[in-house]
Amino acid sequence: MADKIAPVRLGSRVRFEDRWQGRVSGLEVDEDWNVFNISVSSGFLFAGSSVRLPFTSVTSWSDESVLIAANSFQAFGRQIPPVAAPARPLASNTPASHPGTKFAGAVVRQGDRRVLELILTRGVRGLFRVPVTEVSFTGKTMTIGIPTEQLVRYYPDAQISEELHRLLSEDASIPTEDKAHIKFDVEDGVVTVNGNVRIRQTLHYMEGLAASAPGVVSIGNELHDDFEIEAAIGFALNAAGASRDGKVYVRSNLGEVQIDGFVASERAADDIKRTVARVSGVHSIVNRLQVRPAATAGARSRPRS
């Protein structure tokens, strides 16, 4: 997706087409924070080597790794020239206005490969995130426009996801079977909760649980409760004209939908099943429809008890 954003972290492993080799050691950006080149270092001390590669050769990136569309021999053999344009290097030794603060990475948007935030480290105090709108340069020094005490902590997505699953597993107010149907997708601190729950109260409760995890920037709720699914199926069947073909009753249990009733033909039964399958939140169907050619109209959803 063009709007996808992900961090490029110093020290992340680099995967070339033929093997893993080296780690990210720096980035080069222009005045508009577009990434031109990436630096990869391999080996140790005097036996090590470093190479600058165009960032367009990077196909994907995350907290843990960077994938490059070239083999390691081409890269370290200097067969892939970097972008020859004025650019500012960002590395761990880039001077910063806040004492003890070092550049540790950048959050980069995939579509235009533009930096949105810098990731900074402050010794044992951990990682912090700063929007590039709050960063300027005085000579070679990276000037940070946010006071030290107001810096926002940065948490890797994997750490956020692990904490979310811990909170969910330890929460006694959510039924165990519901827990098994709840999933978290985390992308640069943005959490999307998806899956199935039985009641709407759990759906809203999950937003608060997700918000309690450190590092969460925002929350998207794509959970589906059973009452919502049954109502949506009822509307979909009515819109599809299922009332002309028989009597249909549906019941959802965590997204597993059981269809009961009778219809006038096998074709009508297949149409109903396809309509139900298209409803958001349905992940499986148990079809118990019976074919009765003399069936009359009256498709509806069974009210919940």
Side-chain angles (χ1 to χ4, degrees), residues 233-284:
I233 291 172
F235 285 120
L237 291 177
N238 285 334
S243 60
R244 298 190 304 267
D245 299 314
K247 291 184 179 294
V248 181
Y249 308 91
V250 298
R251 188 68 181 243
S252 175
N253 179 26
L254 292 169
E256 180 181 285
V257 174
Q258 180 173 307
I259 311 174
D260 291 290
F262 55 87
V263 290
S265 65
E266 291 286 354
R267 179 176 179 179
D270 291 341
D271 288 343
I272 288 170
K273 185 177 179 180
R274 281 192 291 269
T275 298
V276 172
R278 287 195 292 266
V279 172
S280 184
V282 174
H283 62 76
S284 63

Side-chain angles (χ1 to χ4, degrees), residues 20-305:
W20 292 93
Q21 183 174 349
R23 295 182 181 272
V24 176
S25 56
L27 298 174
E28 294 179 12
V29 300
D30 65 6
E31 293 183 353
D32 295 321
W33 294 100
N34 298 302
V35 185
F36 280 178
N37 297 310
I38 184 170
S39 297
V40 179
S41 297
S42 179
F44 302 93
L45 298 175
F46 300 109
S49 60
S50 182
V51 63
R52 295 163 57 229
L53 300 169
F55 198 69
T56 52
S57 66
V58 178
T59 57
S60 65
W61 57 90
S62 68
D63 268 304
E64 294 83 17
S65 63
V66 168
L67 274 61
I68 295 180
N71 67 57
S72 59
F73 298 101
Q74 291 174 317
F76 287 94
R78 305 297 195 277
Q79 298 177 31
I80 307 171
V83 175
R88 185 181 302 278
L90 297 173
S92 60
N93 60 357
T94 300
S97 59
H98 290 3
T101 299
K102 295 182 178 182
F103 174 76
V107 177
V108 183
R109 187 165 54 204
Q110 180 172 314
D112 54 10
R113 305 195 170 217
R114 185 177 183 182
V115 176
L116 303 181
E117 295 179 307
L118 296 187
I119 302 172
L120 307 176
T121 181
R122 300 194 67 237
V124 296
R125 299 180 183 179
L127 298 171
F128 299 84
R129 60 196 311 154
V130 179
V132 294
T133 53
E134 297 291 342
V135 180
S136 59
F137 284 87
T138 304
K140 294 183 179 180
T141 300
M142 183 170 55
T143 302
I144 303 165
I146 300 177
T148 302
E149 63 275 11
Q150 295 180 17
L151 290 174
V152 176
R153 289 290 298 271
Y154 172 85
Y155 293 86
D157 289 346
Q159 185 176 343
I160 296 173
S161 180
E162 181 179 347
E163 178 64 11
L164 288 169
H165 284 92
R166 185 191 69 78
L167 290 171
L168 178 63
S169 66
E170 295 179 357
D171 196 310
S173 64
I174 303 175
T176 301
E177 195 172 358
D178 282 37
K179 291 179 181 180
H181 288 78
I182 297 173
K183 299 179 178 60
F184 301 102
D185 292 327
V186 185
E187 184 178 305
D188 192 41
V190 177
V191 176
T192 302
V193 191
N194 53 54
N196 296 85
V197 292
R198 285 195 173 89
I199 59 175
R200 185 165 294 273
Q201 288 90 328
T202 304
L203 185 150
H204 295 308
Y205 179 81
M206 285 303 303
E207 293 183 7
L209 183 143
S212 68
V216 174
V217 175
S218 63
I219 300 166
N221 194 337
E222 295 184 6
L223 284 170
H224 299 277
D225 66 87
D226 286 330
F227 183 84
E228 167 207 343
I229 292 172
E230 291 176 3
I233 291 172
F235 285 120
L237 291 177
N238 285 334
S243 60
R244 298 190 304 267
D245 299 314
K247 291 184 179 294
V248 181
Y249 308 91
V250 298
R251 188 68 181 243
S252 175
N253 179 26
L254 292 169
E256 180 181 285
V257 174
Q258 180 173 307
I259 311 174
D260 291 290
F262 55 87
V263 290
S265 65
E266 291 286 354
R267 179 176 179 179
D270 291 341
D271 288 343
I272 288 170
K273 185 177 179 180
R274 281 192 291 269
T275 298
V276 172
R278 287 195 292 266
V279 172
S280 184
V282 174
H283 62 76
S284 63
I285 296 174
V286 177
N287 190 355
R288 295 185 177 177
L289 282 172
Q290 299 180 39
V291 177
R292 298 182 186 175
T296 57
R300 60 185 176 89
S301 294
R302 179 192 299 172
R304 292 181 65 82
S305 55

